[in-house]
């Protein structure tokens, strides 16, 4: 927490002579944060060389220190694993901080897991985390160094490659709760990590069990963590994966955030991920921007636009398994910067898919639906920070002329066709309506996509198309055959995906069961011997 003295902006460097020389060149820089790498903790000799390299060039500057994300063996730092290597790494990190004159040491509050490990993992071992953090705090305090923990992003792209996730450390509440257990801990606030965690909670809330993103605004992180913060890491962010971006190049309005951080934390680090770690062009620009923002007059914070909360029911607890972990790198490559269009986008599945795809920041998402109320409700429910990505179009897929006009205007690269009638019993009563929508409407979409030169079309089918015993199933089976024909005719990618009992979708059995359970009404089960697959 700021003591009232003037806040100090800092650059960032590893304790390597070439990086340090680059950072200190070309300006009157007031401070620098030293980020330790695994090799600097390999043994006492490596530690001594890191200390010497730092001391030689930072005399008279403010210095802060950060522990590495992995130990010398290559094992990731995990706050639930205090083995011999972790003990030695913590001791050497704290010793480094003390010997270079850093008043603080930062460590990430995380438990990096592969997607497979994350999905199969249970609750975090709280006793093990408390043991680790207690040891860390003691090692720092014995040397006169303040121990800090830092919030982490939802997707960890470690320097060794690959994608990892942590069940701990993304939400500001995690840091607050662990400070309550280990009161000696302070905080390091990372702006891009907080923004990315909010983005992930918005588009795929179940994975971290945070069904509502409103309390994850960056300003909330600052206010909740700020009173016990010593360091802030400042950079911009974009979408789900854009971490450590140059100041002003992403989606964050950083000036008022930095201005407020300057009232709370004594050290603000320009933490920019440079393409070449040996050069610090964007980092120094960010340092200058931080100085400018700190000099701005105080401003009233913008009010957060309130939205109706989403249903917080967590189906993962019913199934006793976590949602699948998306292949975020592949999805980012496929959808980032592209133009997407969804028919039936105002429905529960279409709306959720549009939200998820929005996290990868396509150029535009066109949401097409023939139901006015659903389309308006979808637009009103959208996150105001990403609303500009979405274009809502009222259009019935049974009108081929209108549909062709809208696809020609949207120029989508990829179309997801979700518009359909789906209730099996109603198909037997109103077969003509199901033919008009599920067959004629689908063929209209496929033809309009061919005319517009759409690269990929994905149509939503059903498991009931497998045996096609119901009229509804037969309409979907025929739609799949039309899709295969369109693929041969157009030469583009045309794919059908069979969906089975989508949990939480409008009109599904799960929605009926949930409403009945909440009101104490007996569940309407067709046959007690029936098995449902989710």
């Amino acid at each position: 927490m700021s003591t009232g003295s003037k806040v100090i902006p800092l650059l960032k460097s590893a304790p390597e002579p070439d990086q340090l020389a680059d950072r200190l060149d070309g300006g009157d820089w007031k401070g620098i944060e030293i980020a330790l790498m695994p090799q600097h903790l390999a043994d006492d000799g490596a530690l001594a060389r890191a200390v010497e390299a730092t001391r030689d060039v930072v005399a008279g500057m403010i210095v802060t220190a950060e522990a590495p994300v992995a130990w010398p063996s290559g094992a990731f730092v995990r706050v639930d694993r205090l083995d011999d290597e972790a003990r030695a790494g913590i001791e050497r990190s704290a010793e480094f901080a003390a010997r270079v004159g850093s008043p603080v040491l930062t460590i990430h509050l995380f438990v990096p897991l592969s997607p497979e490990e994350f999905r199969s993992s249970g609750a975090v071992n709280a006793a093990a985390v408390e043991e680790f953090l207690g040891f860390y705090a003691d090692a720092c305090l014995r040397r006169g160094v303040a121990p800090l923990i830092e919030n982490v992003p939802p997707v960890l792209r470690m320097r060794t490659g690959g994608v990892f996730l942590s069940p701990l450390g993304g939400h500001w509440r995690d840091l607050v709760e662990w400070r309550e257990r280990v009161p000696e801990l302070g905080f390091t606030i990372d702006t891009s990590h907080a923004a990315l965690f909010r983005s992930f909670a918005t588009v795929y809330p179940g994975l971290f069990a945070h069904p509502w993103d409103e309390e994850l605004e960056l300003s909330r992180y600052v206010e909740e963590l700020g009173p016990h913060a010593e360091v802030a890491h400042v950079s911009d962010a974009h979408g789900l994966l854009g971490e450590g971006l140059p100041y002003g190049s992403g989606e964050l309005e950083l000036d008022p955030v930095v201005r407020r951080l300057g009232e709370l934390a004594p050290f603000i680090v320009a933490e920019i991920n440079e393409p070449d770690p040996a050069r610090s062009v964007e980092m120094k620009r960010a340092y200058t921007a931080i100085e400018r923002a700190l000099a701005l007059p105080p401003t009233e914070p913008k009010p957060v636009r309130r939205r109706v909360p989403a249903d917080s029911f967590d189906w993962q607890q019913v199934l006793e398994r976590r949602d699948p972990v998306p292949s975020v790198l592949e999805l980012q490559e496929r959808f980032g910067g592209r133009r997407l269009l969804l028919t039936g986008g105002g429905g529960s599945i279409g709306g959720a898919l549009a939200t998820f795809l929005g996290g990868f920041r396509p150029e535009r998402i066109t949401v097409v639906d023939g139901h006015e109320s659903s389309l308006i409700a979808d637009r009103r429910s959208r996150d105001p920070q990403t609303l500009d990505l979405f274009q809502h179009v009222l259009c019935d897929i049974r009108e081929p002329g209108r549909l062709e006009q809208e696809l020609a205007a949207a120029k989508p690269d990829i179309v997801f066709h979700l518009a359909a009638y789906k209730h099996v019993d109603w198909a037997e009563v109103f077969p003509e309506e199901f033919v008009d929508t599920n067959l004629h409407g689908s063929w209209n979409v496929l033809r309009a996509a061919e005319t517009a030169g759409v690269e990929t079309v994905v149509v939503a089918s059903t498991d009931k198309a497998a045996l096609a015993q119901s009229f509804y199933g037969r309409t979907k089976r025929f739609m799949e055959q039309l899709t295969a024909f369109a693929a041969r005719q157009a030469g583009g990618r045309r794919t059908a995906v069979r969906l089975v009992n989508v949990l939480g979708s409008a009109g599904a059995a799960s929605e009926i069961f949930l409403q009945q359970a909440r009101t104490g009404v007996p569940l309407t089960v067709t046959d007690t011997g029936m098995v449902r697959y989710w």
Side-chain angles (χ1 to χ4, degrees), residues 175-488:
L175 281 72
V176 170
E177 289 171 5
W178 279 105
R179 187 178 185 277
E180 291 174 354
R181 288 179 178 242
V182 186
E184 299 84 1
L185 296 172
F187 301 138
T188 292
I189 306 172
D190 190 297
T191 59
S192 72
H193 292 177
L196 294 178
F197 192 82
R198 181 189 184 277
S199 292
F200 206 102
T202 300
V203 305
Y204 202 63
L207 206 59
F208 293 98
H210 296 301
W212 188 232
D213 58 27
E214 194 165 276
E215 67 172 15
L216 296 175
E217 297 286 346
L218 178 54
S219 58
R220 185 74 179 272
Y221 274 79
V222 172
E223 296 306 322
E224 296 291 346
L225 302 180
H228 300 288
E230 297 289 340
V231 176
H233 290 165
V234 171
S235 60
D236 220 321
H238 183 264
L240 300 182
L241 299 173
E243 175 186 349
L245 301 182
Y247 198 108
S249 69
E251 299 171 341
L252 303 183
E253 190 177 354
L254 285 173
D255 281 358
V257 173
V258 170
R259 178 66 182 79
R260 178 59 177 147
L261 285 169
E263 299 172 345
L264 297 168
F267 308 114
I268 299 183
V269 182
E271 188 175 68
I272 309 300
N273 290 337
E274 296 279 4
D276 179 1
R279 304 188 67 234
S280 54
V281 176
E282 292 297 340
M283 190 184 300
K284 289 173 179 175
R285 287 176 181 161
Y287 181 104
T288 302
I290 289 169
E291 284 191 314
R292 175 184 50 76
L294 289 171
L296 293 173
T299 57
E300 288 294 323
K302 291 183 179 179
V304 176
R305 180 178 167 184
R306 305 297 299 275
R307 291 177 288 146
V308 177
D311 192 327
S312 61
F313 188 79
D314 187 4
W315 283 102
Q316 296 173 100
Q317 295 184 18
V318 177
L319 300 181
E320 297 182 338
R321 68 173 184 263
R322 277 193 166 120
D323 288 342
V325 177
S327 300
V328 288
L329 299 184
E330 292 85 346
L331 292 169
Q332 180 65 53
E333 184 175 351
R334 179 171 293 275
F335 297 118
R338 310 298 297 280
R339 294 185 299 273
L340 314 179
L341 183 144
L342 291 83
T343 70
S348 54
I349 297 175
L353 179 60
T355 299
F356 177 66
L357 294 171
F360 301 102
R361 298 303 187 258
E363 179 183 324
R364 182 175 61 250
I365 299 178
T366 302
V367 180
V368 176
D369 205 294
H371 191 260
E372 180 194 27
S373 296
S374 297
L375 201 65
I376 291 173
D378 181 86
R379 183 165 183 83
R380 287 175 176 170
S381 70
R382 291 275 156 213
D383 179 4
Q385 293 188 17
T386 59
L387 185 58
D388 289 346
L389 284 176
F390 296 88
Q391 180 179 7
H392 289 75
V393 173
L394 184 63
C395 176
D396 192 329
I397 63 169
R398 297 188 292 188
E399 299 179 14
R402 278 287 327 281
L403 194 61
E404 284 193 12
Q405 289 176 8
E406 295 301 341
L407 263 73
K411 298 181 175 63
D413 301 301
I414 303 167
V415 168
F416 293 90
H417 173 43
L418 300 161
Y421 287 152
K422 68 175 185 178
H423 288 279
V424 176
D425 51 346
W426 280 48
E428 306 298 331
V429 180
F430 303 106
E432 297 87 354
E433 293 294 324
F434 276 69
V435 168
D436 278 351
T437 297
N438 294 0
L439 288 181
H440 295 159
S442 296
W443 183 238
N444 292 339
V445 171
L446 291 165
R447 289 181 61 190
E450 181 180 354
T451 301
V454 175
E455 171 189 308
T456 302
V457 179
V458 180
V459 302
S461 187
T462 172
D463 60 319
K464 298 171 184 65
L467 298 178
Q469 292 180 330
S470 65
F471 190 84
Y472 166 67
R474 289 194 288 276
T475 66
K476 285 295 192 174
R477 180 62 176 268
F478 195 12
M479 182 202 68
E480 292 178 355
Q481 294 170 336
L482 288 174
T483 303
F485 175 76
R488 293 192 298 270

